[in-house]
Each structure stands twice: as structure tokens, then as C-alpha cells.
Amino acid sequence: MDNILVSKKVTKRFGGLEALGKVDLELKKGAIQSIIGPNGAGKTTFFNCVTGFYTPEEGEILFNGRNITGMSPDRVTHLGISRTYQNIRLFKNMTAIENILVGMHPHLKSWLIGAIIRDPRTVHEEAEALKEAYRLLEYVGLKGRGDMLAKNLPYGEQRRLEIARALASRPKLLLLDEPTAGMNPSETQDMVHFIQRLRDELGITILIIEHQMRVVMSISEKITVLDFGRKIAEGTAKEIQTNPTVIEAYLGRGAASGLGETAAKG
Amino acid sequence: MQNQYTDWKQALRSGLLGGAITVLLSLIGIVTAFSNTYIVNKVISFGELLIVGPIAALSLVAIQKARARHPGLLILTAIISGLTSGLVILALAGLGQVINLRAMFLNASNDLYAIYAYKQALVPGLLLRLLVSGLVGALVAGFTLLPGRIKAAISQGLLYVILVGLMGRLIGTVLNTWGFVAILFKWMFVANSLSPIGAIFLFLLTGGLAYWRYGRPKTKQITDPKKQKLVRWGTLGGFGLLLIFLPNILGMWFSEILDNVGLFILMGLGLNIVVGFAGLLDLGYVAFYAIGAYTIGVLTSPELGFFNLTFWQAFPIALIMAFLAGVLLGLPILKMRGDYLAIVTLGFGEIIRILVLSDWLKPWLGGTQGIQRIQRPVVGIGEFSITLQSQQQLYYLILAGIVLVAFVAVRLRDSRLGRTWMALREDEDVAVAMGINHVATKLTAFAMGALFSGIGGTLFAAKIGSIYPSSFQFLVSINILSLIIVGGMGSIPGVFVGALALMGLPELMREFAEYRYLFYGAALVAMMLTKPEGLWPEARHRLEFHEEETPPPEESEAVPESA
Ligand SMILES: Nc1ncnc2c1ncn2[C@@H]1O[C@H](COP(=O)(O)OP(=O)(O)OP(=O)(O)O)[C@@H](O)[C@H]1O
Ligand SMILES: [Mg+2]
């Protein structure tokens, strides 16, 4: 059983629109895998189904062999899946370190009484949490930014902070929704290395939605292509680049997402 | 030429605006109402200030906007502005003679015109008014031409004369509790206002101080950390002492105000948790206040005679009741968001008030007659016990309540629970996805808020000894919400500042009773326009770029000032 995540014929509809249609996907433990597809293909919807934001109408999602279909988001988080958002969703008016501390929520215990009387256990727990949070902050390259409000961080750093927050819940599987969106080539390059480090050093399995082909091709062991909610192709970077259906899906729609050029050159 | 032409147009426009403001203030009625509220006895009243003030202010605007730089031209501009304002006032008075304005504007009375005319015969009086208006413009222009140091001295002197003059009655009340000191100052005041000599003395004193201080560096920065610490503890200690002796210093009448403000601070601290920390808009907050007060009433009043508990026996029960009410109300409604929550809580507040009013519950809660003879709290043991009865004694009880509640609020804010509340406020979906149980979290906020409000209610009952449904109006919730907004959402010191500004100041301005809400509203709007983050915003709203690696976010925030 080396598949950490398996989706079986997952279907999600919004009214008449089929955002996902019978999507099968298998994600190997310890892999870095990508989902690509034109705008509105259903990529984010797939993430939302996995993390419990949406309940699919049909199909099943298994995490480490356990059925998590329709589970609430907080329980999914407790099981070990965490994510980032396409349009960064940090707690804007909280500091960077507080954002990470909120991410650690599932592993902390103190509540009302502890907060008021500050018994030794609470004090200890908070101190440890804070240490860990600063460690994570440094890990994602934001050392010294801890006391800044999330909203005051530059864009690239907000993305990193969001990843730090996701890591804070100690996930086994990390879902990244377009982590390099809006970044320049050198920032993108940094992000790619960083994602590889996450897998190599922390052993976290990673599923990425990505638009920039250069990123997808350089990073992922396997690529799944969605179009109109359907899986139209799956395979290695090479296979995808030369797949006529994929080229058709991208070029036919005239989407300037770069796949066309890459494919044409490759 | 072109320049002068635009300057005159500007002068006319300013003059018209100045006149319009004066006329507006007159028609509202405050000019007449305050024509006998003297700032300097028999010399200048607050009403007169309301006429002259706008004229002066707008001549200043005319000068500042003028392109001309020649002093003569500037003076001319200001005079034109002043005269124009004067003409507007005259126009109102003139119009009043021709048609009956009172049909529409109750305050466009002959009294008003007499004030305009300095209580003289109308025609010469109004001409005098026009002259004075022009003179005001000229004086303002002259003022702007003075060197900075003298300008600073004059404006400071005037400011203090006006403030002290307006506060004359209050200062008198305080002085009355200070027999021997009062004698030292007696000559400065006549009939609740400054005496002319007093005014001149005060003007020279404060103006002279400003003159002397002008251009000098402010107090030296203390750099030695040891000294800093000393200074900090010193101020804190001094402040504590001041708080303890405040009722004795200020006397009975002020203690009553302090008590009222204190109760609002208490409840503000609670609502701040709900609205400021957790972002739940609760408009029915007064309900818990009522529950706290009524529980004490029902349990202790011998008039009802059910339980006849003492205050302290009833106290924990009241707190439990308020807390439980918070939980019970919270359970069904916390899944709602924003506007819906606001409406439902508003409804809840009204339900409680109507229940209390109802005939049905009258045997238990007293209906409109309320509950009288509520037991006062007794502190101490045996022979050394005293019943807290006077406003001065109750002050300490309320102060203790505030210290306790503020302490808890600070602790909560800086805890995991506090973070959780803020995360929910920022983005509920994401917070829930981080594993936060939103129902439990919101419920805790709601219940803690209810508990604090309940404490406020018990102290309120203890303070006035009898409670009526009319004390628990919707307006109370709104007042508390306003003071939080004015102080700065989510800011604990902000609650103190907001309560002092919104509850304390209006109490001090009892003279303005009738126009209280007018000033209040104007102040609120002005504040939202100029300082929307509040008077004392939460520290993290002020955070800017920061230094290297920082210690734990243990914001050391000296718990509460003032009460
Ligand atoms: N909550 C919703 N209600 C209705 N329709 C939705 C909802 N969420 C997504 N959709 C629709 O489902 C389809 C797939 O959306 P999704 O966000 O998954 O696309 P995507 O592949 O992530 O696209 P992009 O590259 O633009 O992020 C779109 O047509 C979208 O309009
Ligand atoms: Mg998307």
C-alpha cells in the first residue's frame, strides 16, 4: 500500500455544471505529483473535495486507505492533509508567527482555564509551540519576519508563510494550489527548490496544481491533466508534452499558458 | 489682478460658509441655549463663542487659501470673509423680521436675534455685530502675521481659557471638596465660570508657558534601561495610587461618574472579546447585563422575599446565570454569520427586556416597577465589615472588577484561545480547515462576553440598589459597541479610552445634556473620518516593519489605566 491518496470516480457538480467527472487519481507516498489543466478545468475543485471543503456527489477518496469522502475539513487536517490556497488566504491582520501558531492548533491543548491561570503545562506548551513556530519560520526563509503582519509581507513571502502555516499541522500530504502564481522566474526557481526540499527533508508527499509548464515539467514525477472536469491524460512530463489530446485541449482553447510552445519545441 | 480676484471669491465663499455654520448652530438652538453659559463671566459666553468661532475659523481658511502674500491684502481678505459671515447672520435676523421663521425653525426666535444684537436695539446692535465680525477677521489675520512663538503662546492661552471656562462648574465641584485649596483659587472663578481677572491670569500663565517652551527640545529621552524600568514602575505605581485616591480627590459627584464609566469599561472589555477578538457582532449584549442585575435583584431583595440572600451569596449565581445564558443563546445561533448574528442577538436583547417588563413575570421580576432594596455588598468580616453604599465606596468594588476582568482579557488575548478567535475573525473557512472547532471557539467567546456583562450587571444592581427595565435598553448595547469602535476594535486599552471619551466626557458636559447626542454624533463621524482605526488601536494594527529575530510576542501591556 504505497499510495497515500487515491480518488475513485470522484464527481462534483454545481447545478448543471460538472466541475469534476469521474476523476481517478493515485498519488504515491513520497512523490511530487502535479495536476494541470486549462482555467476552470476543476483542479481547485479537486483539492476542495480532498480537503473536505466540498463533498463529492459520487466517488470515493481514500487517504492512507481510509475513506475520507465527505469528512469535515478539520478532521481531514487532523488526519494529516494540509493545503495552501490559490488566492493566498493568510490571516491578514495577524503576525507571521501567529499565523504559524494557528496552524499548530491541532497539536496544542490549552483552552480557557489554562489561558487565564497560565499553569505550568500551558506555559510550557506555549513556549514549545513558539520555538517550533520560529523554527518553521526560519525553515521557509522568513527569519526575522515573525512580528510582521501577514498582510504587510511581500507577495512571495506570503506564499512561503502560507506553506509554513500548512506545515505547522505536521501533514503527511501537502496540497499546493499554484504556489508560484505571480512570481518572477528567479522566485519561481527558489520555490521549486524549496518544494523539492520539503519532500526530501521532511518526507512529505506533495500534490501541486501548477500553471507554469517549466515548473511542472521540472518537478513532477507524474502529471495528471484535467479538462472540463475530466481526466484527459496522465503520465510523465515527456508523455504529456507530446500527447495530442493535451495539446488540443490547450491550443484549441487558445490558452496562452505556455504548454503549446513547450510542447511544440519539445 | 487675477490673483486678487480669486482671493476675494475665496474670501466670500469662506465668509458664506462661516455664516452658514453659525446660522445652523443657531437654528439647532445651541447658541440660545448657551448664551448664559459663560466662559469668562459676563464677558464671553459659550453661545457667543459658537457665533464667533466659525467666523474666525473660516477667515483663517480664507487667509490660508489666499494667493496674495502682502500683509495688507491678507488682512483685507480676512475682513471680507468676516464681514460676509456677519452679513449672513444679519440676513437671518432680517428675514426673521419679515416672515415668521419660527413656523419652521423653532429656535429662530427674538431671543436669538437679541443675542445677535448684543441685547441692544436691533438695528444698532446688528450693525455692531457686523462690525465685530469684520474685526474678528482682522484679528485672525493679525494673529497669522505674528511670529510663531507668539502665535503658539496666544493659541495655547486661548485654548486653556476656553477649556477651563467651560469646565468651570466641574472645577468648582471638585474645589468644594477641597476646602482650603478652594480658597487659593476662589478668585479665579465667579458663578461657575472664570472671572475676568482669572481669565487674564490663566491666559498669561498658560500662554507664557507656551512662549517659554517654544522651540525647546521636549523632555530628555531616558536611555539607561535601569532608569527606564524605574520610571516605568514609578509611573505605574503613581497611577495606581492615583486610582486609589481618585474618589477622595474628586469628590462625590465625580465618583458617581467614575462608577458609571467603570461599568461601561467592564462591559466594554467583555463585548470587546466577542466583537473585537472573535469578530461576532452581538447587538443584544445588554441582555446579559440585565440577567446579571436581575439575578442579584431577585435573590437579594427582601421586597420580593423569595431568597433573601446576601449580595455575595447571590453573586456567583448571577455569574453562572449570565454565563449559561451566553452558552444557551450561543448554541443555536453561532452557525450564523455577520448580519444574521447581529439581528438575532438584537432580538434576544429585546426579548429579555420585554420579559422583564411583562405582567406575566411581574410577581418575580417586578414588571415596570422593577426591584427595589437590593442588598448592598458587605466586605470585611465581623466587626470590621462595612456595607458598600456610597458612590465612593462602590468605586473600589468596580475598580476591583475592572482589574480582574482586564487581567483575564489580556491573558485570553495572548493565549492559544485568543489566537483562535482572531483566526476565526480573519477567515472562518481557513480557520476551520486548520482544525479549529468553530462552534466551541465562538461559544467560549460569547460566554466569556456574557460573563463579563453579567459582572457589570451585578455591580450595577449593587450600585443603584434598585433596578428597572428601562435601564436595559437597546441603546446600552449600542453605546458599548460605539465605545469599542471609538477606542479601537480589539484593543484593550482602547476600551478604557473609548469609555472615557464616550461615557465620561458627556457626563462632564451635563450642561449640554440636550445636545449631548448631537455632539456625540458629530464627534463619532469626525473620528471615523480622521482616525478610523480608533483612538488607541490594538498594538498589532500599529505594527510596522520590524527588527531582527524577536522574543515571544509577550506584549507587555500595562494593565488598565483609570477607571
Ligand atoms: N462553489 C462553486 N459554485 C459554483 N461553481 C463553482 C464553484 N467552485 C467552482 N465552480 C466552477 O467549477 C469549475 C471548476 O472550477 P475550479 O476552480 O476547480 O477550476 P480550476 O481548474 O482551479 O481553474 P483555475 O486554473 O482558474 O484555478 C469552474 O467552472 C467554476 O466556475
Ligand atoms: Mg484553481
Side-chain angles (χ1 to χ4, degrees):
Chain A
M1 197 204 70
D2 55 348
N3 280 334
I4 191 166
L5 186 80
V6 177
S7 90
K8 291 181 186 158
K9 296 201 170 20
V10 167
T11 300
K12 174 74 202 167
R13 295 187 197 91
F14 296 109
L17 176 86
E18 198 177 67
L20 288 177
K22 302 207 165 79
V23 172
D24 290 321
L25 189 139
E26 289 179 1
L27 178 57
K28 275 212 177 62
K29 200 169 273 177
I32 298 181
Q33 218 166 291
S34 304
I35 301 180
I36 65 170
N39 288 98
K43 307 180 294 290
T44 301
T45 304
F46 183 75
F47 271 21
N48 283 335
C49 287
V50 174
T51 50
F53 278 73
Y54 296 156
T55 306
E57 272 82 31
E58 289 161 32
E60 246 182 10
I61 300 168
L62 306 177
F63 177 62
N64 277 334
R66 179 165 174 185
N67 191 345
I68 58 165
T69 328
M71 240 182 215
S72 66
D74 54 316
R75 291 194 51 211
V76 173
T77 304
H78 277 279
L79 288 180
I81 303 181
S82 74
R83 69 176 289 186
T84 66
Y85 301 83
Q86 187 171 350
N87 48 337
I88 306 174
R89 287 177 80 171
L90 286 166
F91 304 118
K92 294 196 189 67
N93 290 311
M94 298 174 76
T95 62
I97 211 73
E98 283 173 330
N99 267 276
I100 300 178
L101 285 168
V102 172
M104 291 163 71
H105 184 91
H107 302 290
L108 306 178
K109 293 201 180 58
S110 92
W111 199 240
L112 190 60
I113 303 300
I116 297 172
I117 61 172
R118 281 206 190 146
D119 56 309
R121 231 208 58 217
T122 305
V123 174
H124 178 75
E125 181 184 278
E126 281 289 289
E128 289 296 309
L130 205 63
K131 231 189 279 168
E132 165 100 11
Y134 274 109
R135 212 183 50 69
L136 269 171
L137 195 71
E138 195 176 336
Y139 187 74
V140 300
L142 293 180
K143 191 172 179 204
R145 302 293 215 190
D147 279 347
M148 275 181 70
L149 292 191
K151 68 175 175 194
N152 291 342
L153 289 171
Y155 184 80
E157 298 190 354
Q158 292 196 12
R159 286 248 174 245
R160 284 167 177 273
L161 179 58
E162 212 187 18
I163 294 178
R165 183 181 68 182
L167 292 176
S169 67
R170 298 177 208 154
K172 301 185 186 77
L173 169 62
L174 183 60
L175 308 180
L176 302 175
D177 199 340
E178 305 201 17
T180 69
M183 287 186 174
N184 65 32
S186 94
E187 285 173 329
T188 304
Q189 202 52 43
D190 287 349
M191 183 55 84
V192 168
H193 289 315
F194 178 63
I195 292 170
Q196 278 163 337
R197 258 181 70 203
L198 286 183
R199 193 260 312 260
D200 297 344
E201 294 176 11
L202 307 178
I204 298 173
T205 311
I206 297 172
L207 184 60
I208 308 176
I209 295 176
E210 189 46 72
H211 262 306
Q212 298 190 47
M213 275 309 134
R214 230 173 286 110
V215 177
V216 178
M217 297 303 165
S218 65
I219 209 174
S220 18
E221 279 113 52
K222 192 165 98 178
I223 299 168
T224 305
V225 188
L226 293 184
D227 189 22
F228 287 121
R230 307 235 154 215
K231 185 163 90 176
I232 58 170
E234 194 164 60
T236 61
K238 261 241 165 59
E239 290 162 2
I240 295 300
Q241 273 173 312
T242 49
N243 185 318
T245 333
V246 176
I247 298 174
E248 162 74 30
Y250 271 81
L251 288 184
R253 204 93 43 86
S257 50
L259 180 89
E261 298 141 47
T262 326
K265 273 184 228 146
Chain B
M1 218 47 239
Q2 185 60 33
N3 264 356
Q4 281 172 30
Y5 176 66
T6 47
D7 281 1
W8 288 347
K9 238 174 49 178
Q10 179 60 47
L12 279 178
R13 211 183 298 155
S14 308
L16 284 176
L17 188 56
I21 294 175
T22 302
V23 165
L24 179 71
L25 294 176
S26 308
L27 293 182
I28 291 170
I30 49 184
V31 168
T32 335
F34 295 128
S35 64
N36 286 323
T37 309
Y38 284 105
I39 293 174
V40 180
N41 197 30
K42 303 288 179 204
V43 178
I44 182 165
S45 68
F46 184 50
E48 180 66 20
L49 187 69
L50 288 174
I51 302 177
V52 182
I55 300 178
L58 270 294
S59 344
L60 192 64
V61 172
I63 293 170
Q64 275 165 354
K65 290 208 171 161
R67 305 233 178 99
R69 281 285 148 264
H70 189 278
L73 285 177
L74 284 182
I75 294 179
L76 199 64
T77 310
I79 292 180
I80 293 175
S81 173
L83 285 177
T84 315
S85 301
L87 282 173
V88 174
I89 297 173
L90 257 57
L92 177 70
L95 199 64
Q97 306 308 311
V98 189
I99 52 174
N100 181 14
L101 286 176
R102 292 209 74 176
M104 218 189 307
F105 303 106
L106 199 62
N107 294 303
S109 61
N110 285 332
D111 286 349
L112 178 67
Y113 307 141
I115 292 165
Y116 281 171
Y118 295 102
K119 310 256 159 92
Q120 310 289 321
L122 205 58
V123 176
L126 285 178
L127 284 179
L128 181 62
R129 166 67 63 193
L130 188 62
L131 213 66
V132 169
S133 304
L135 195 66
V136 166
L139 284 177
V140 168
F143 169 80
T144 59
L145 295 172
L146 292 171
R149 191 166 193 176
I150 300 181
K151 270 201 280 196
I154 293 182
S155 33
Q156 169 129 331
L158 281 181
L159 183 72
Y160 274 92
V161 168
I162 293 174
L163 283 182
V164 173
L166 279 178
M167 298 278 190
R169 193 173 55 80
L170 298 180
I171 296 172
T173 340
V174 175
L175 285 183
N176 280 342
T177 56
W178 282 83
F180 64 98
V181 186
I183 297 165
L184 282 178
F185 291 101
K186 207 111 213 177
W187 57 276
M188 281 185 71
F189 296 93
V190 189
N192 290 339
S193 62
L194 280 167
S195 66
I197 301 176
I200 292 170
F201 171 75
L202 188 66
F203 180 82
L204 289 179
L205 182 74
T206 53
L209 265 174
Y211 185 83
W212 178 73
R213 258 212 320 260
Y214 190 80
R216 271 169 216 264
K218 291 202 175 125
T219 40
K220 269 180 244 140
Q221 284 290 318
I222 301 164
T223 39
D224 182 14
K226 250 191 198 151
K227 267 192 194 158
Q228 265 180 346
K229 210 169 181 181
L230 206 70
V231 167
R232 207 162 122 201
W233 282 108
T235 16
L236 216 70
F239 213 74
L241 279 180
L242 183 71
L243 279 183
I244 290 175
F245 290 112
L246 210 53
N248 301 315
I249 299 171
L250 295 177
M252 272 294 278
W253 188 75
F254 266 98
S255 302
E256 157 108 58
I257 294 182
L258 284 178
D259 288 357
N260 288 339
V261 173
L263 285 177
F264 272 101
I265 290 176
L266 240 165
M267 288 189 291
L269 286 169
L271 188 61
N272 189 44
I273 290 180
V274 185
V275 181
F277 293 174
L280 306 167
L281 187 51
D282 178 357
L283 293 182
Y285 193 60
V286 70
F288 308 112
Y289 182 52
I291 289 171
Y294 266 91
T295 311
I296 290 286
V298 169
L299 294 182
T300 71
S301 169
E303 195 170 82
L304 295 170
F306 300 131
F307 303 98
N308 293 324
L309 298 184
T310 67
F311 178 85
W312 291 116
Q313 287 167 337
F315 185 71
I317 303 177
L319 298 199
I320 292 170
M321 290 291 284
F323 189 85
L324 284 184
V327 174
L328 284 183
L329 174 65
L331 273 178
I333 66 172
L334 284 174
K335 288 203 167 150
M336 301 175 186
R337 291 188 189 191
D339 318 352
Y340 299 100
L341 183 70
I343 297 296
V344 175
T345 49
L346 190 156
F348 178 69
E350 281 303 283
I351 289 174
I352 294 291
R353 191 177 63 84
I354 289 167
L355 277 183
V356 163
L357 254 177
S358 68
D359 280 338
W360 172 55
L361 288 173
K362 195 168 176 176
W364 295 280
L365 303 179
T368 39
Q369 271 118 53
I371 302 176
Q372 276 83 25
R373 291 171 59 206
I374 295 170
Q375 296 290 308
R376 307 285 188 158
V378 178
V379 290
I381 30 169
E383 281 179 55
F384 302 104
S385 62
I386 49 164
T387 310
L388 300 181
Q389 215 143 16
S390 76
Q391 300 300 336
Q392 271 149 314
Q393 291 165 331
L394 286 160
Y395 167 87
Y396 295 104
L397 186 64
I398 294 173
L399 185 65
I402 291 175
V403 170
L404 179 77
V405 164
F407 171 78
V408 172
V410 169
R411 283 263 164 119
L412 287 177
R413 181 196 60 189
D414 296 339
S415 69
R416 171 175 179 250
L417 183 55
R419 287 196 301 268
T420 313
W421 284 335
M422 283 171 224
L424 272 184
R425 177 191 71 194
E426 293 291 311
D427 190 328
E428 183 161 341
D429 293 325
V430 175
V432 168
M434 311 257 78
I436 290 171
N437 178 335
H438 64 297
V439 173
T441 307
K442 286 179 174 180
L443 210 57
T444 321
F446 217 69
M448 284 314 284
L451 178 67
F452 286 10
S453 186
I455 296 180
T458 59
L459 298 186
F460 175 72
K463 176 175 152 340
I464 59 170
S466 47
I467 46 177
Y468 307 94
S470 58
S471 305
F472 306 98
Q473 309 264 4
F474 172 58
L475 198 61
V476 177
S477 304
I478 295 300
N479 277 334
I480 302 170
L481 192 62
S482 313
L483 76 86
I484 289 175
I485 294 171
V486 166
M489 274 277 196
S491 156
I492 291 172
V495 170
F496 289 81
V497 177
L500 282 171
L502 283 195
M503 298 301 139
L505 278 188
E507 292 276 359
L508 294 184
M509 303 195 299
R510 276 276 164 80
E511 287 98 331
F512 307 92
E514 216 179 313
Y515 303 97
R516 203 165 139 167
Y517 285 101
L518 184 81
F519 287 113
Y520 196 99
L524 269 183
V525 171
M527 217 209 73
M528 282 299 118
L529 288 175
T530 55
K531 217 170 174 328
E533 77 278 22
L535 292 173
W536 191 321
E538 190 199 5
R540 67 166 54 71
H541 285 289
R542 286 188 276 188
L543 280 180
E544 292 280 321
F545 290 78
H546 223 275
E547 74 280 359
E548 267 299 306
E549 193 75 318
T550 35
E554 179 91 49
E555 302 151 47
S556 55
E557 196 170 276
V559 191
E561 35 252 89
S562 87

